[in-house]
Amino acid sequence: MGIAAQFRRLCLVENRRLLMVISVAIIIAALLQCFALPYWKRWSLSTADEGSLVVLISNATFSNNLRPRPVNVSNSMVNDTYPSDLDEEVGDGNETKETSTDNLSPAKSEHGELTLNIGAMLGKSLIMGYDASTGDDSIQATALEIGHGNVLQAEKVDDKEAAAGLTFGGVQIRAGIVPVVLPGISAKNGGKMDTESSTSNAFFPANETSADNVRGIAEIQPQISVSITQKKNSPQDSISTLNRGDTQPMSISQMNSLLLHNLVSSHYVRTKWYSVRDRELLSAKLKIENAPILRSPPGLYASAFRNVSIFKRSYELMERMLRIYIYKEGEKPVFHQSKMIGIYASEGWFIKLLEGNKKFIVRDPRKAHLFYLPFSSLMLRTTLFGQNLQSQRDLEGYLKNYVDLVARKYSFWNRTGGADHFLVGCHDWASRITRQYMRNCIRVLCNANVAKGFEIGKDTTLPVTYIRSAENPLKDLGGRPPSERHILAFFAGGMHGYLRPVLLQFWQNKESDMKIFGPMHRDIEGKSLYREYMKGSKYCICARGYEVHTPRVVEAIFYECVPVIISDNYVPPFFEVLNWEAFSVFVQEKDMPNLRNILLSIPEERYLAMQLRVKMVQQHFLWHKNPVKYDLFHMILHSVWYNRIFQISSMKM
């Protein structure tokens, strides 16, 4: 009996211990369920209705130790290589493969669905959360199912909520599964990668995708892989979805108004003290404002200018007065050197011609009105990026160190905060890497996007000039007379960005007088055919690529073809003085369906006048090995001079 009783008591003790262990396990499991489930649970995907858009994204959590950067996943695979931006030809219709978070790079999946990178319209779909395992703020990727007819508008959600409760335009979000990669980290080896350059390596097939599936992306928005069930709606129904972000694009008339406002305002950086050179500039400004009226000044076509009298007077004073100091600091190839051929050749030609100039350059910085920062954005990108520097932020830091060096050694930067300094950059990244530490400088940029920090009236646009021969930059100059231009409109180029695929979708093989193509062959015959199309067309379509600029604007002028600029928010070159509406056509991206009607509605007399003005302004867009009056080199200098003068116009003597 005693042994049996002890055995029963022992069993009861063991049972109690077992129950306690089970209870603790249940509690732990419940706690894990509460904390871990919102981050790691994978949701099943229900079948979407016909014509709906299904977004498949995992609920993986990734660290946010640094500022959130774009996540780019295409077809569930990450491209962790850097695209080459040097080997692309522009003459045959290709621009550089420089990437941006503004572009869409769709590809076709193995299931026949299209995959494209999309960001701004899902802006709120990345919800800031808290990672209990690391203690860091984190980003939770969510998933959506959105009908084609719904407007994408994110509703406000608690930062620590799981994504499952989000709605867009009243449509309930549903979750799906697609791997998400840590921003800035390669999926292959965990090493750092360029989040600005990682894109899908597939083009947007114009013959497979309807324009209603195209969306734009804002500049700094996460990119997510999206699976789209195609629906053949009329492209006319959704062309308005091309506009990126929440803001409306700025029209050319609005840019004109902004220019006039900025030239008379005093919101720019004020100098700590006014030098003799400042007073000289103010004196020049008064002479410019009181310029004698000229009807037909020799060498200039009055109707192509905003005010030819003011331009003529300003240019003469620049030739007589302007003095520039070039900082000697900085080593080649990033400083004092750049390429003289290719799509970014403008900055190379400017550096070489300015440093070899004896008229404008002074050795004593105290005699200078302007100070040139002689770095090449192209060489900075190609020489240091991916080797010593791993991100655009690193490139910014590199330039900051350079500015700090200049500021310590000289007093001129600190006197004006850099307002009397200027830089010239043609690479797509130049705008981004200079807008913080060099924001007060006069920036001469190819990527002149007024929606991304380009300041009309302070900054000025550098023309993108594709140079094929450094020995003969004027090779093949000119085109046929208007009577021999039988093609209404021509475009050929790579499918870079979101706009060009839509251009082809609307107009490729649609009308016999609309010669709209994708990339042309890069052999001798292909390049020759491209030039013949440019020389024989009335209008040359200048559609933006990844960024707002395109070399086709200058190419059209080079071949005496009227430019048709389709690039919202792009500020054309020498906007301060040239009347672009007198010799070119501006078409907003949303008006792509009406492109042919817009061109056909232009009276023949107006076309002939525009084409004549194109020939007259051609001299302002040409590089010469030895600069000549009114050429591209002098026009760039004049824009810098002109903008600087009107920055200090309100100073009190």
Side-chain angles (χ1 to χ4, degrees):
M1 292 293 294
I3 295 175
Q6 290 180 3
F7 180 77
R8 285 195 296 273
R9 285 196 297 273
L10 181 61
C11 289
L12 291 174
V13 171
E14 293 298 327
N15 289 338
R16 286 196 294 270
R17 289 178 179 175
L18 180 61
L19 290 174
M20 184 177 298
V21 171
I22 294 173
S23 300
V24 171
I26 293 174
I27 293 172
I28 292 174
L31 291 174
L32 290 175
Q33 188 80 351
C34 292
F35 287 101
L37 182 59
Y39 302 102
W40 299 108
K41 181 175 179 181
R42 296 180 180 273
W43 303 87
S44 61
L45 180 68
S46 59
T47 304
D49 298 332
E50 182 180 0
S52 65
L53 180 150
V54 182
V55 182
L56 306 174
I57 302 174
S58 72
N59 274 3
T61 301
F62 44 83
S63 173
N64 186 37
N65 294 328
L66 299 176
R67 174 182 164 190
R69 292 191 175 187
V71 181
N72 195 327
V73 184
S74 177
N75 207 17
S76 302
M77 296 293 292
V78 174
N79 179 3
D80 59 355
T81 60
Y82 301 120
S84 169
D85 50 9
L86 299 177
D87 300 329
E88 291 294 330
E89 292 283 347
V90 179
D92 63 352
N94 291 316
E95 285 186 16
T96 61
K97 290 185 180 179
E98 190 55 60
T99 61
S100 165
T101 51
D102 288 334
N103 70 318
L104 299 177
S105 301
K108 199 161 186 177
S109 71
E110 61 182 359
H111 303 295
E113 295 179 327
L114 286 178
T115 300
L116 61 91
N117 298 322
I118 190 167
M121 65 179 183
L122 306 181
K124 293 287 186 176
S125 67
L126 293 182
I127 306 303
M128 297 303 296
Y130 182 81
D131 187 350
S133 63
T134 64
D136 294 333
D137 287 339
S138 59
I139 300 178
Q140 299 174 27
T142 184
L144 313 176
E145 180 178 5
I146 307 170
H148 277 293
N150 293 290
V151 178
L152 302 176
Q153 294 178 338
E155 297 181 1
K156 189 174 182 180
V157 181
D158 188 288
D159 284 348
K160 294 185 180 181
E161 285 184 349
L166 286 175
T167 60
F168 276 73
V171 181
Q172 181 66 36
I173 293 170
R174 298 221 302 252
I177 304 172
V178 162
V180 176
V181 177
L182 183 65
I185 302 298
S186 167
K188 181 182 295 185
N189 53 24
K192 290 184 179 180
M193 66 179 290
D194 172 19
T195 56
E196 299 294 329
S197 291
S198 56
T199 66
S200 166
N201 55 10
F203 285 148
F204 201 146
N207 59 346
E208 298 178 1
T209 309
S210 60
D212 59 335
N213 289 334
V214 178
R215 298 290 191 272
I217 304 179
E219 179 186 11
I220 310 289
Q221 289 288 352
Q223 292 187 334
I224 306 169
S225 179
V226 180
S227 175
I228 296 182
T229 302
Q230 297 185 66
K231 179 181 178 182
K232 293 184 178 180
N233 292 341
S234 170
Q236 297 273 1
D237 297 337
S238 56
I239 190 66
S240 61
T241 61
L242 282 173
N243 295 333
R244 285 90 48 231
D246 298 326
T247 59
Q248 291 295 320
M250 185 176 293
S251 66
I252 189 68
S253 60
Q254 291 172 319
M255 291 182 188
N256 290 331
S257 299
L258 184 59
L259 172 65
L260 295 176
H261 173 267
N262 288 346
L263 289 178
V264 299
S265 66
S266 58
H267 70 282
Y268 294 114
V269 176
R270 302 295 294 272
T271 57
K272 291 183 178 180
W273 68 88
Y274 301 116
S275 68
V276 173
R277 307 307 160 209
D278 292 330
R279 290 177 172 82
E280 289 176 351
L281 293 179
L282 182 60
S283 174
K285 184 259 181 181
L286 295 175
K287 293 177 181 178
I288 292 170
E289 289 182 329
N290 295 286
I293 297 177
L294 302 174
R295 299 298 181 186
S296 300
L300 297 173
Y301 201 76
S303 61
F305 288 84
R306 294 180 180 275
N307 188 316
V308 72
S309 302
I310 285 180
F311 170 75
K312 184 74 162 52
R313 185 61 168 150
S314 176
Y315 188 94
E316 290 173 347
L317 291 170
M318 177 198 74
E319 285 190 310
R320 184 191 312 167
M321 297 175 56
L322 177 61
R323 297 296 179 264
I324 299 171
Y325 181 77
I326 303 176
Y327 289 111
K328 302 299 187 293
E329 289 69 25
E331 297 180 357
K332 295 181 179 180
V334 174
F335 297 88
H336 310 287
Q337 178 180 321
S338 191
K339 293 185 177 297
M340 303 292 289
I341 60 173
I343 189 174
Y344 301 124
S346 287
E347 65 179 31
W349 277 80
F350 183 82
I351 291 174
K352 181 178 179 179
L353 295 179
L354 184 62
E355 292 198 328
N357 188 279
K358 296 180 180 179
K359 180 176 183 179
F360 296 110
I361 304 306
V362 293
R363 295 183 178 180
D364 184 354
R366 293 171 297 180
K367 297 180 180 179
H369 303 94
L370 292 165
F371 299 84
Y372 177 46
L373 304 171
F375 72 92
S376 164
S377 61
L378 171 62
M379 302 309 291
L380 181 61
R381 162 69 174 86
T382 58
T383 303
L384 298 181
F385 187 82
Q387 301 175 17
N388 301 329
L389 307 177
Q390 300 295 326
S391 69
Q392 287 193 31
R393 186 170 295 178
D394 291 338
L395 300 184
E396 289 183 66
Y398 183 88
L399 292 180
K400 179 182 183 299
N401 293 336
Y402 172 70
V403 168
D404 290 342
L405 172 64
V406 168
R408 287 194 303 268
K409 190 171 181 179
Y410 304 89
S411 63
F412 309 103
W413 177 279
N414 294 326
R415 185 181 73 88
T416 64
D420 53 358
H421 290 57
F422 72 99
L423 59 95
V424 175
C426 197
H427 192 278
D428 294 1
W429 289 7
S431 174
R432 172 75 180 273
I433 64 179
T434 61
R435 68 185 180 188
Q436 183 174 354
Y437 303 113
M438 298 180 173
R439 63 183 177 275
N440 294 332
C441 297
I442 300 171
R443 301 185 303 160
V444 186
L445 303 172
C446 288
N447 190 12
N449 188 340
V450 74
K452 293 186 182 180
F454 183 92
E455 296 186 55
I456 297 177
K458 179 181 77 69
D459 301 328
T460 189
T461 304
L462 179 65
V464 189
T465 54
Y466 187 84
I467 303 296
R468 295 171 180 83
S469 171
E471 294 300 318
N472 184 14
L474 304 182
K475 184 179 179 181
D476 297 320
L477 179 67
R480 297 183 187 142
S483 60
E484 297 179 17
R485 292 178 177 264
H486 305 299
I487 300 171
L488 177 64
F490 165 68
F491 173 85
M495 294 296 97
H496 307 311
Y498 59 85
L499 183 67
R500 296 182 185 181
V502 182
L503 174 65
L504 264 66
Q505 178 66 26
F506 280 114
W507 297 113
Q508 186 176 34
N509 300 323
K510 295 298 194 302
E511 300 288 346
S512 60
D513 58 355
M514 298 279 286
K515 303 300 182 183
I516 309 297
F517 308 106
M520 300 184 73
H521 293 294
R522 298 178 59 181
D523 55 17
I524 296 177
E525 292 182 359
K527 295 176 183 179
S528 176
L529 181 61
Y530 179 86
R531 290 192 295 271
E532 288 305 311
Y533 274 126
M534 295 286 281
K535 291 172 179 283
S537 299
K538 296 177 66 175
Y539 299 98
C540 291
I541 307 301
C542 307
R544 62 169 290 162
Y546 287 128
E547 299 291 347
V548 293
H549 61 289
T550 168
R552 285 161 188 79
V553 176
V554 174
E555 277 189 326
I557 296 173
F558 194 89
Y559 296 121
E560 299 172 3
C561 179
V562 175
V564 179
I565 300 175
I566 311 178
S567 181
D568 291 349
N569 298 316
Y570 174 62
V571 182
F574 314 133
F575 188 67
E576 306 82 8
V577 295
L578 290 182
N579 177 19
W580 274 85
E581 292 171 283
F583 57 89
S584 61
V585 179
F586 289 83
V587 176
Q588 289 194 334
E589 294 169 13
K590 66 181 179 63
D591 293 328
M592 185 81 75
N594 300 318
L595 176 59
R596 186 169 184 269
N597 290 335
I598 291 172
L599 299 181
L600 289 175
S601 68
I602 298 174
E604 183 69 12
E605 294 78 10
R606 183 186 170 195
Y607 161 73
L608 293 174
M610 287 193 295
Q611 201 272 340
L612 177 60
R613 293 177 190 129
V614 166
K615 294 179 64 175
M616 295 299 103
V617 300
Q618 186 185 73
Q619 63 174 327
H620 306 310
F621 294 89
L622 303 178
W623 289 111
H624 299 270
K625 297 183 70 173
N626 297 309
V628 300
K629 192 179 185 71
Y630 299 135
D631 71 350
L632 185 48
F633 171 73
H634 286 99
M635 290 295 289
I636 294 171
L637 279 185
H638 177 266
S639 287
V640 176
W641 150 272
Y642 189 84
N643 285 359
R644 174 56 184 159
I645 281 179
F646 282 91
Q647 283 186 51
I648 64 171
S649 62
S650 61
M651 76 180 217
K652 296 180 180 180
M653 304 302 296

